Amino acid sequence: MTTPVCTSASKVAGPPAPPSYGADARYASQALYSSFSSYVRARGPVLLRTARSLTANPCDAEDLLQTALTKTYVAWERIEDHRALDGYVRRALLNTRTSQWRKRKVDEFACDELPEPETVPSPDPAEQQVLHDAMWRAVMKLPDRQRAMVVLRYYEDLSEAQTAEVLGVSVGTVKSAVSRALGKLREDPELAPVR
């Protein structure tokens, strides 16, 4: 024994009636359209508020409502209790929105300004190379002992104690020699733009 799936199919006693293509069919479709359109006119604003609660964008809410109403119109003859139409449309709204949400991977939002972080303009590599070369020429002009201390302290990044240990001098000697060397570098005319 088979149980009917559709309630309207179980009410049919005999074979289905052949489709009518005359004035009766036109009258039936006009009646269907007029009852549906009167429902949309009466309940449209309430349903639109429901759609707006499901989406952030008012235009998306209108599209969502149109899709749900299209689904409702297709099923209009199968809906037995027309007092429950609001619930049917709300369910169609929710199901449609859920389907859209599942399909959409990334939401796009229109904005006035691009959300890219502001970047500090990086210096020109050519200018950096010119400065590096000028600095190295100025270091090469220093006496051997001062040059060694400056290179160990600032190029090799050793502490004053480590520099003193490498060169076999006291920490005070490193401090005074580096101080004199930095004074000479500040006076170098090639490094004037850096100051």
Side-chain angles (χ1 to χ4, degrees):
M1 176 174 188
T2 60
T3 55
V5 177
C6 182
T7 57
S8 61
S10 65
K11 295 178 184 176
V12 176
S20 59
Y21 296 107
D24 292 340
R26 269 182 290 187
Y27 177 73
S29 72
Q30 287 175 351
L32 173 76
Y33 178 75
S34 69
S35 90
F36 177 76
S37 62
S38 64
Y39 169 75
V40 171
R41 275 194 298 276
R43 301 299 294 164
V46 174
L47 296 171
L48 183 59
R49 280 196 299 273
T50 303
R52 284 189 178 158
S53 69
L54 295 173
T55 63
N57 187 345
C59 295
D60 289 342
E62 290 173 4
D63 291 343
L64 179 63
L65 180 59
Q66 288 296 320
T67 305
L69 288 175
T70 302
K71 291 177 180 180
T72 305
Y73 182 74
V74 169
W76 191 258
E77 290 179 324
R78 291 179 305 187
I79 300 172
E80 293 177 3
D81 187 7
H82 279 237
R83 292 174 297 179
L85 283 172
D86 283 357
Y88 186 91
V89 175
R90 285 190 186 107
R91 175 52 62 186
L93 283 168
L94 189 59
N95 290 345
T96 303
R97 181 63 185 145
T98 302
S99 296
Q100 291 172 348
W101 174 76
R102 285 181 179 154
K103 288 178 187 174
R104 187 176 293 173
K105 298 292 183 201
V106 176
D107 285 334
E108 296 179 12
F109 299 101
C111 57
D112 294 335
E113 295 180 17
L114 294 175
E116 297 163 354
E118 292 183 23
T119 57
V120 178
S122 60
D124 184 15
E127 290 178 8
Q128 286 184 320
Q129 186 62 44
V130 167
L131 178 62
H132 180 269
D133 292 344
M135 180 63 80
W136 192 247
R137 283 191 299 273
V139 168
M140 294 304 287
K141 293 178 192 173
L142 295 172
D144 291 342
R145 188 170 173 162
Q146 287 180 356
R147 182 177 358 140
M149 291 182 188
V150 167
V151 168
L152 289 174
R153 277 290 287 127
Y154 298 106
Y155 282 90
E156 296 295 325
D157 202 25
L158 297 180
S159 67
E160 291 171 343
Q162 291 170 328
T163 303
E165 187 180 329
V166 168
L167 295 176
V169 295
S170 68
V171 175
T173 304
V174 171
K175 286 183 180 182
S176 62
V178 167
S179 176
R180 285 191 301 274
L182 291 178
K184 289 180 182 177
L185 290 174
R186 285 187 196 101
E187 295 172 2
D188 193 300
E190 274 193 276
L191 299 178
V194 178
R195 287 181 236 134

